Amino acid sequence: MILEKISVRGYLGIRSMDLPLDRVNAFIGENGWGKSSLFNLLSRVFGDGPVPCRFTAADFYIDEDTGESLGEMQFRFSFRERRPGQARRAQCLAAFDRYWIRGAPGDCARIIYGISAVRGRRGIQVRHCFYTAAGTPMKTSRRDIIRFVSLNPVFRIRDSRMDRGSGPIPWRNEWERKIAVLARKLSEQDTELPGIDRSTLEEGLEALSFLAGSYIPDLREPRSSRGRSARDIASRPLSLVGMGTLQSLMHNATRTMKLILVVFQDALLKARGGRRIPRICFPILILTDLESRLHPSYLMMFISMLEQVGVQKLIATNSGDLLSCLGLADVRRMSRDPRGCVSCRSMNERLFSTDDIRRLTSHVRLTRPVSLFARVWLLVEGETEIWLILQLAALAGRNLQGEGIRLIEFAQCGAGPLIALARQFGISWHLLCDGDDAGARYAATAAAMLSPGQQLSRHLTRLPEADIEHYLYVTGFEGVYRRESGYGDTQGVPVNKIIERAVHRRSKPGLAINVVEAADRMGPEGIPPLLMDMFRILEELSGDPEL
């Protein structure tokens, strides 16, 4: 089974949320935007706790304006088959035949598990049941709920330093104990993974080989990278896919990767706790705070290794390095409005061509993954604007990066795909372009991609001159270009020739630095008015992306 959608009403900091999910889901978002509440809910319902789960008065959403609790919570968890017909073929799923919702032949069947909780005079009344496609509750036995929850166990893996105060884990055999011993030695070293003697490592790997597949059956089956389309190759990282089973991975991997495998197995055992997990089940991995513990190189190894694990994964991260290991379509960007309604934005790959996906993968995911955390993208044509804009904004008293504004060169990728991606992720955008013919085409693209109600002036700054160099020349920096060209005060030399020679002698980025140096001496009054207006608009967009 795959958890394909979660609906939440009135829980902790979430007034409402409808969240579509896929096999891999990397959640990003600012603090207080619902990630922790979501993972808390999944751990409570499907994790190591009472089944069916219980709630307290502190779990109900409290309106920030009135300070009053809504007094009611509702949750819907929609699961689907991994492959059409799986619910009939798998004995563990066939036991829930009366609850499955079946559509047209060839479609995956679905099952909806729901919970409602109401706070009244007699305490909190909680109801667990399955639902029809129309949302009608079905008569459901407590035994069926317990069996269903056990089939979808949540394993929450986080920074091990957060778990040091927990009680002892009940190891079920000597193999589990050996894994724990090796993992503890690794954690005691804190920084250097390779500092483990060979005999200890071999003993831990022997235990890992024995346990492989005991809790995650998909680890036992080799995965193949053959037959991938050009579109798949462009959008999805390859990494370790194709190395076969976990056992073959252990034989072929480096020493560091083997140690990371041991740490991963130990984390799974800790996440399991005292639960008895069925031999055949459909686990959901929740991974948080990975980047706070692992060096970026080890983090990428760990994420690559997770590709061998065919279970559903929910990852919360603030790491651009981690995002660079995943596909853009795997990213789930969360946001929360003042009313407590949480939304989740993701990329719809079907709306992009294969070439667009290739360009975006190279331009954003591989080289600028941190831009996915931004509130605003300022799209500029080249390196000259990168140097100028950041420095001139600082001179004007504005910290663009601190305000969530990221500069992205668009010339090689194209403005259209970047604007489309920004819109899908809920990132606001602003385009700075030249006044030449190419700039006119970019401006037309920006105008065509506005959402209903948006004003072009809020998303486009077009220079009145052919390019940024000519604009700077006529707005107070003529002396810089004359000096760097070598013409000095010589009269009668065409402006184009002065700029062309200055660029030839110093390069465009070099001239940009000279302009910033001159602007430092002039102060904020020396910043061209058009750029000052753009800085003001960017600040407004970073506070309200819907503008």
Side-chain angles (χ1 to χ4, degrees), residues 303-324:
I303 295 300
S304 296
M305 182 271 295
L306 280 180
E307 291 181 46
Q308 294 294 94
V309 182
V311 302
Q312 191 170 19
K313 293 171 277 286
L314 281 65
I315 305 168
T317 184
N318 292 313
S319 168
D321 288 326
L322 192 153
L323 292 183
S324 71

Side-chain angles (χ1 to χ4, degrees), residues 78-95:
S78 177
F79 292 81
R80 65 167 173 81
E81 301 171 300
R82 292 197 174 198
R83 295 170 297 277
Q86 183 187 35
R88 294 190 186 276
R89 294 190 299 268
Q91 184 177 357
C92 61
L93 299 181

